[in-house]
Amino acid sequence: MTSGNLLTDHPALYEARFPDPERLAARWTEDCLRRHGAGPRVLDMGCGTGRDAAYLHGAGRAVTGADLSEAMLAHARTHHPGPRYVRADLHGFDLGSFDAVVCLDSSLLYCHTNDQLDGFLSSCRHALAPGGLLVAELRNGAYFLGRTDPLDRPAVDTFTWQGRTYRSRTTLTVDRTAQLLCRTRVWTTDDGSPPVPQHSAWRLLFPHELRHFLAAHGFEVLELHDGPGPRTEPPWRAGDSPGAAADGDRLHLVARLHTH
């Protein structure tokens, strides 16, 4: 194993580790877009392997998938064709005009600072047509108020891919000063390779804080709730109504850009 990011450097391995055979994330997104009357042009920021972008393309939308990882983009072009795939940084981008910006699986939380979050929302504001939508799915910072269960003990996971067994040991800590959820994941395999530690972090955003940032950039929040969604338990199913609480470990956001 190398010292890069094991999963983002090996997109097929990423899909094996995080399968979504029912395309729940993309189906939930399409449901949001349809319910709120979004036009056909969609930008999927942090598109990863392209699974969700390709599903939205198959639903009849004109999709652009954007990601920083060239490996992910190459995989997407080969295995999930249809959308236009481009390299872009979510902290600031100019990729054309769209009717909706989609940001799934906590990608928005890679905006660690207020300036980075302002850069993302400013880019969304300039990218969206009047009345355009921002649809996001992310961790809920409020979940960690008084709860320690995700932090109490490392999470261990094992899976086999192409004849090799991978084991990960994941530890989460909270940097309260920086308002970040920090993850250290150590990978080992059964072939005797040295352990590979990898580090990442997400901004811990609270629901009212997120509303404040969105309002400052001209967005009206239409939905902000903890479920059901593609990564909740039980998961979202077609026909489910949006929830009213924001207490669970995921947040689901739909916001509309003001037309004036």
Side-chain angles (χ1 to χ4, degrees):
M1 292 188 296
T2 67
S3 59
N5 188 309
L6 181 67
L7 294 182
T8 57
D9 290 348
H10 302 87
L13 179 61
Y14 179 96
E15 291 192 340
R17 172 63 182 83
F18 298 111
D20 186 9
E22 298 182 6
R23 296 294 186 265
L24 273 178
R27 287 168 50 216
W28 172 81
T29 302
E30 175 62 17
D31 182 73
C32 291
L33 296 175
R34 287 185 179 275
R35 283 190 293 106
H36 293 286
R41 300 170 300 167
V42 174
L43 173 61
D44 182 2
M45 282 302 302
C47 68
T49 65
R51 290 183 299 191
D52 301 326
Y55 180 93
L56 296 173
H57 170 82
R61 300 191 181 275
V63 183
T64 296
D67 204 280
L68 262 182
S69 169
E70 291 286 7
M72 286 288 196
L73 292 169
H75 180 91
R77 294 183 185 110
T78 300
H79 296 278
H80 301 290
R84 175 176 73 112
Y85 291 107
V86 297
R87 188 174 187 271
D89 188 338
L90 64 86
H91 299 154
F93 54 88
D94 183 5
L95 300 173
S97 182
F98 301 91
D99 301 303
V101 176
V102 171
C103 198
L104 303 177
D105 198 24
S106 294
S107 293
L108 185 154
L109 301 184
Y110 289 109
C111 296
H112 290 175
T113 67
N114 290 349
D115 285 346
Q116 290 173 348
L117 186 55
D118 282 328
F120 170 76
L121 292 173
S122 178
S123 297
C124 289
R125 185 178 72 246
H126 287 102
L128 285 169
L133 294 181
L134 171 60
V135 177
E137 186 271 338
L138 58 152
R139 284 182 177 268
N140 180 11
Y143 182 81
F144 292 88
L145 293 173
R147 291 188 181 95
T148 62
D149 52 291
L151 313 173
D152 288 340
R153 62 184 61 86
V156 176
D157 182 75
T158 301
F159 72 104
T160 300
W161 181 70
Q162 292 188 347
R164 176 184 288 185
T165 298
Y166 295 81
R167 179 184 175 92
S168 64
R169 181 181 177 89
T170 302
T171 304
L172 297 176
T173 58
V174 173
D175 181 337
R176 293 179 177 85
T177 301
Q179 207 167 310
L180 294 176
L181 179 66
C182 304
R183 179 179 69 188
T184 298
R185 177 174 284 162
V186 179
W187 288 98
T188 56
T189 61
D190 60 356
D191 63 359
S193 298
V196 176
Q198 296 172 351
H199 304 278
S200 57
W202 299 276
R203 170 74 175 264
L204 288 176
L205 280 172
F206 299 93
H208 282 308
E209 181 185 19
L210 183 54
R211 287 180 181 273
H212 177 80
F213 274 97
L214 289 161
H217 286 274
F219 285 92
E220 174 191 4
V221 174
L222 305 178
E223 297 178 17
L224 186 60
H225 59 89
D226 56 10
R231 298 191 63 173
T232 62
E233 189 56 49
W236 172 86
R237 297 177 301 176
D240 283 348
S241 298
D247 184 63
D249 62 349
R250 310 296 294 187
L251 278 180
H252 307 86
L253 166 71
V254 183
R256 188 184 304 281
L257 185 64
H258 288 301
T259 56
H260 58 274

